[in-house]
């Protein structure tokens, strides 16, 4: 197996709020290999974005802090870098694409300038070369007549075109990892599919690892190689997309699946929440976070946090991990 480009180990991120200390990410571990698409899926508030922001070094201080863990990127712990060290990696070797491109694009700068500037800065290339590469990138993300679009401002682009421009910006510095947090949620379904097809195609062709954060199981089925399911800030199941859909193990994942009428890549079905309330992240207690909503909960689920492990034994898929005490029957 190829060496993972990213290894997240025991990541724990908390926020101090008026309501108490929120443990938004709670001892989360996963790897991403070069060229692989890992989807992180879970209900709103399950800690997906905070996981992404932790990797990117963008947790707002002092309210937020990473209290535990390691984030090894290409073997080096990002948590040990100082601010300039992290800035050299973010937007360069690790790129990000967020839901609303308007908030990441500068409204006062032309699209061409915004794509060319990081190329010039991070790769030390002359301005003219950088502009030429920006044109090429706009072509790659299928923006028609790219050369004549360099001078356009973000507001002159449609939502879908802005997101394409964001992908061009993300690719500009040839990152080894792209983190896309609900990149198409604001777009209509047809445009969503075009953009995600494009993003994945470009990532695969360049061997770039992709973390695709979504609450949409249709997106997961269509794009993910592997899936990490989050609940209450914790990873509850992790497996190949194929294994997860064929035989989901965690009661939460099973609940999610039951809510989705079609698993054949149709992204038009919204995720219907499972009955009950999402957990209060200020007071999870010692047991399983899903216990209050779990149809199978037993006494020990209230007292002992289940470890994320493969309980299927040697015959099972050794990389199908599940955090449930009831592995055998679940
Ligand atoms: N800046 C912040 N201050 C306080 N709490 C936060 C902050 N950012 C996120 N949280 C909390 O962390 C939890 C996880 O949030 P998030 O990662 O954004 O969820 P999602 O899975 O929807 O992306 C939520 O309970 C959220 O309220
Ligand atoms: Mg989010």
């Amino acid at each position: 197996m190829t060496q993972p480009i990213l290894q997240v180990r025991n990541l724990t991120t908390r926020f101090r709020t008026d309501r108490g200390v929120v443990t938004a990410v709670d001892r989360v571990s996963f790897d991403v290999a070069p060229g692989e698409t890992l989807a992180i899926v879970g209900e709103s508030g399950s800690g997906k974005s905070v996981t992404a922001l932790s990797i990117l070094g963008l947790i707002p201080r002092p309210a937020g802090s990473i209290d535990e863990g390691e984030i090894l990127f290409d073997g080096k712990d990002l948590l040990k870098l100082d601010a300039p060290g992290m800035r050299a990696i973010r937007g360069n070797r690790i790129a990000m694409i967020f839901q609303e491109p308007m908030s990441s694009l500068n409204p006062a700068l032309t699209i061409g300038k915004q794509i060319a500037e990081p190329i010039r800065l991070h790769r030390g290339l002359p301005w003219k070369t950088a502009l030429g590469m920006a044109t090429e990138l706009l072509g790659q993300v299928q923006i028609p007549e790219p050369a004549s679009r360099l001078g356009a401002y973000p507001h002159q682009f449609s939502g879908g075109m802005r997101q394409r421009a964001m992908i061009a910006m993300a690719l500009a510095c040839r990152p080894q990892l792209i983190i896309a947090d609900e990149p198409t949620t604001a777009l209509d379904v047809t445009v969503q599919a075009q953009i995600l097809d494009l993003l994945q195609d470009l990532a695969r062709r360049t061997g770039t690892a992709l973390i695709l954060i979504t609450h949409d199981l249709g997106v997961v089925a269509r794009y993910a190689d592997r899936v990490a399911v989050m609940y209450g800030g914790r990873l509850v199941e992790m497996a190949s997309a194929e294994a997860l859909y064929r035989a989901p193990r965690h009661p939460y994942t099973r609940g999610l699946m039951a809510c989705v009428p079609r698993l054949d890549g149709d992204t038009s079905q919204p995720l219907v929440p499972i009955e009950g309330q999402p957990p209060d992240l200020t007071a999870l207690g010692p047991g399983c976070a899903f216990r209050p909503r779990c149809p199978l909960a037993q006494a020990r689920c209230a007292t002992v946090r289940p470890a994320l492990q493969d309980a299927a034994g040697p015959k099972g898929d050794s990389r199908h991990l599940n955090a449930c005490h009831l592995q055998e029957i679940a």
Side-chain angles (χ1 to χ4, degrees):
M1 197 193 139
T2 32
Q3 191 63 23
I5 184 68
L6 183 76
Q7 297 166 284
V8 175
R9 294 280 169 273
N10 261 328
L11 178 68
T12 303
T13 306
R14 297 194 178 91
F15 294 97
R16 274 139 285 273
T17 71
D18 298 343
R19 295 180 301 115
V21 176
V22 172
T23 305
V25 175
D26 193 351
R27 280 176 275 162
V28 161
S29 301
F30 60 86
D31 290 353
V32 192
E36 178 181 51
T37 299
L38 173 76
I40 302 181
V41 69
E43 290 173 309
S44 177
S46 57
K48 306 183 298 294
S49 293
V50 173
T51 300
L53 295 173
S54 300
I55 297 166
L56 293 162
L58 293 175
I59 294 298
R61 285 165 203 280
S65 63
I66 295 175
D67 291 354
E68 223 186 290
E70 291 178 323
I71 300 174
L72 303 174
F73 176 69
D74 211 4
K76 289 192 196 65
D77 192 352
L78 297 181
L79 298 180
K80 297 209 167 92
L81 290 179
D82 56 10
M86 195 59 219
R87 271 198 299 275
I89 287 188
R90 188 174 55 233
N92 187 22
R93 298 177 64 199
I94 304 179
M96 56 224 166
I97 300 170
F98 295 115
Q99 178 174 336
E100 182 33 72
M102 258 335 235
S103 61
S104 324
L105 289 167
N106 185 334
L109 294 179
T110 63
I111 295 285
K113 193 156 186 172
Q114 292 187 62
I115 300 173
E117 182 65 18
I119 299 179
R120 195 184 64 79
L121 211 70
H122 286 300
R123 290 168 65 185
L125 294 168
W127 186 241
K128 238 182 126 177
T129 314
L131 268 184
M133 294 179 74
T135 313
E136 204 173 296
L137 282 163
L138 284 180
Q140 275 181 29
V141 297
Q142 290 158 20
I143 288 186
E145 299 173 48
S148 65
R149 303 284 187 155
L150 287 178
Y153 288 89
H155 73 265
Q156 295 173 303
F157 274 19
S158 67
M161 279 187 25
R162 281 199 286 267
Q163 205 52 295
R164 285 170 196 270
M166 280 302 300
I167 294 173
M169 278 173 72
L171 292 168
C173 290
R174 302 187 185 156
Q176 289 155 294
L177 171 66
I178 297 176
I179 302 179
D181 189 354
E182 314 258 6
T184 57
T185 305
L187 304 171
D188 76 55
V189 175
T190 324
V191 181
Q192 260 188 44
Q194 288 167 358
I195 301 254
L196 290 173
D197 284 345
L198 178 70
L199 178 61
Q200 185 163 59
D201 179 52
L202 292 171
R204 286 226 201 283
R205 268 199 274 156
T206 51
T208 310
L210 180 61
I211 296 180
L212 183 59
I213 295 176
T214 180
H215 61 269
D216 184 336
L217 279 175
V219 167
V220 174
R222 182 156 165 176
Y223 299 100
D225 298 312
R226 272 189 317 127
V227 189
V229 183
M230 286 191 79
Y231 185 83
R234 302 169 177 183
L235 272 189
V236 295
E237 184 161 3
M238 187 156 52
S240 68
E242 188 272 324
L244 194 90
Y245 281 90
R246 180 169 38 81
R249 290 182 185 169
H250 196 280
Y252 173 64
T253 315
R254 292 185 163 204
L256 283 182
M257 299 285 188
C259 292
V260 176
R262 296 182 59 178
L263 298 175
D264 56 4
D266 178 356
T267 57
S268 61
Q269 300 294 339
L271 200 60
V272 184
I274 297 168
E275 215 172 292
Q277 294 301 311
D280 175 1
L281 298 181
T282 61
L284 270 191
C288 171
F290 189 58
R291 176 187 52 85
R293 296 166 85 179
C294 183
L296 304 170
Q298 301 184 351
R300 68 182 150 156
C301 303
T303 53
V304 183
R305 175 172 167 179
L308 185 69
Q309 60 188 352
D310 180 25
K315 282 198 210 106
D317 174 353
S318 64
R319 299 181 70 214
H320 191 152
L321 305 177
N322 175 22
C324 179
H325 289 308
L326 308 160
Q327 303 262 2
E328 320 74 55
I329 59 156

